[in-house]
Amino acid sequence: MTRSGVVHVIGIGPGERSLMTPRACEILARCEVIVGYSGYLALIADLTAGKDTYALPLGEEVGRARLALDQARRGRTVGVVSSGDPGIYGMAGVVLELLEGLPEADRPEVLVVPGLSAVNAAAALLGAPLGHDFAVISLSDLLTPWELIEKRLSAAAAADFVVVLLNPKSRQRTWQLGRACDLILCQRAGETPVGIVRNAYRPEQAVEVTTLGQLPAAAVDMFTTVIVGNSQTRCFQSRLVTPRGIVRSP
Amino acid sequence: MTRSGVVHVIGIGPGERSLMTPRACEILARCEVIVGYSGYLALIADLTAGKDTYALPLGEEVGRARLALDQARRGRTVGVVSSGDPGIYGMAGVVLELLEGLPEADRPEVLVVPGLSAVNAAAALLGAPLGHDFAVISLSDLLTPWELIEKRLSAAAAADFVVVLLNPKSRQRTWQLGRACDLILCQRAGETPVGIVRNAYRPEQAVEVTTLGQLPAAAVDMFTTVIVGNSQTRCFQSRLVTPRGIVRSP
């Protein structure tokens, strides 16, 4: 029987300190052990000074979650640092899945601290693209069959959802965004406004507005969030607005 | 020609102060005029002391946006306070739509400050239900034809999205949630895990886990967010986990 600690899976938001919640800061301060991807830990180095810090490379999500749970099973208070919101495609799921695999008597407490996700950040910088129903789809087919991603893209387009595309491109993933555009174009006009946000709230931030027809040619990488408007979305002064009907209603 | 001010549309998050970003606090402090729904203004009364404050009743979204733009056109710095994230079904769209209607020379600057939405908050309290692609659908048919909402529910269910239901019920809106469940049940098992979060991060917070089959009988109101798992979502220790495939991958 081990003395049981706690794992806090902490969302630090897009990166800019003013968008990290006080709760995330307070809980980080309370943690004895910090685990995270080295790139994110660098953003909060001043908040973790003097703590046992484990910086693991990108791609080692399972290793980070396992390390955090091991430390908590020794009775320690552990913080797993996640950029954005750990609940949205983030570390919360990885930690909970591994927790499920542990013997019941040996499971530390796991708590999730929400943060601003890339979805919230990109939407704010674009104005109000998410004023109505939307679907969030990752274009990464590393762990998800591409056929399922296609099915989701077509369904979201057919039902006139605003579509948020995460992980639209990487060095290895080059053709998926073009194919996604083709699928959405089957159901939506080429003039549909599209917002492209790269490195939201970071020093290299870039916000661009284009159209669905032009999207495949746009500068997009793995730090980019793409928001494709629905049939009602308007572009105005380089912003996107998806009306909910409030302004026009009698 | 008027001296042009600024409207900041400020997300204060779910209500609990520790989840409001420092940026939202700083910008509120800088505003001379504050406009908002009286219920939300009460949550931040200490931050708005001494400012010109306009508290308008619920339902007067257009009135609030118009008032804010009018004040900004007189050269003032105005904050429109929105609960959650103003970009997700929030005040950002209403303000930008009205801005679009103003003569170009007379448009104040409008900036959106993101906040934690009900989506982020409910997900964190439930564990990791949004670990994979998801669709957000409001069940309010006040301004959206019910046929379109049905189309979106069926499309999201058929493409195996996790489905987040906002505004699931109100005193007037009673049958919509049951109908939504029926539509999702056409494509998803009755045992599908469902999370119900009422008043997230507020004193009356309640978190419940049930199944899609049991959902119509659950206690749900207009302050509730419902998250319906996809075919892979598991329930475990009263939490929902939607795996992304990372843990099982070789």
Side-chain angles (χ1 to χ4, degrees), chain A residues 89 110 132-134 136 239, chain B residues 89 110 133-134 136 144 239:
Chain A
Y89 303 86
V110 172
H132 213 307
D133 303 335
F134 61 97
V136 182
R239 306 287 196 106
Chain B
Y89 303 87
V110 173
D133 301 337
F134 62 96
V136 182
T144 305
R239 310 282 198 104

Side-chain angles (χ1 to χ4, degrees), chain B residues 26 63 77 107 124 127 130 152 156 177 179 190 212 215 250:
Chain B
E26 283 156 26
T77 303
R107 287 180 186 155
L130 304 184
R152 287 179 179 160
L177 179 62
R179 177 74 185 134
L212 185 55
L215 174 56

Side-chain angles (χ1 to χ4, degrees), chain A residues 63-76:
Chain A
R64 269 180 262 145
R66 189 162 285 142
L67 179 62
L69 288 168
D70 281 350
Q71 290 286 327
R73 288 161 82 191
R74 294 179 201 171
R76 306 184 81 184

Side-chain angles (χ1 to χ4, degrees), chain A residues 83-101:
Chain A
S83 79
D85 187 332
I88 297 184
Y89 303 86
M91 281 298 293
V94 183
V95 174
L96 285 170
E97 276 197 86
L98 287 179
L99 183 73
E100 202 181 348

Side-chain angles (χ1 to χ4, degrees), chain A residues 120-195:
Chain A
N120 305 275
L125 292 169
L126 288 167
L130 304 184
H132 213 307
D133 303 335
F134 61 97
V136 182
I137 303 174
S138 166
L139 293 190
S140 171
D141 57 352
L142 207 62
L143 300 168
T144 305
W146 179 252
E147 298 68 42
L148 180 57
I149 298 173
E150 287 209 349
K151 192 174 177 183
R152 288 180 177 158
L153 288 163
S154 295
D160 206 23
F161 281 99
V162 176
V163 181
V164 182
L165 300 175
L166 300 181
N167 306 310
K169 240 180 200 173
S170 72
R171 236 176 305 169
Q172 293 77 36
R173 202 170 340 102
T174 53
W175 56 265
Q176 284 81 344
L177 179 62
R179 177 75 185 133
C181 290
D182 289 343
L183 289 168
I184 302 175
L185 276 167
C186 293
Q187 327 244 15
R188 216 164 283 179
E191 296 73 39
T192 303
V194 169

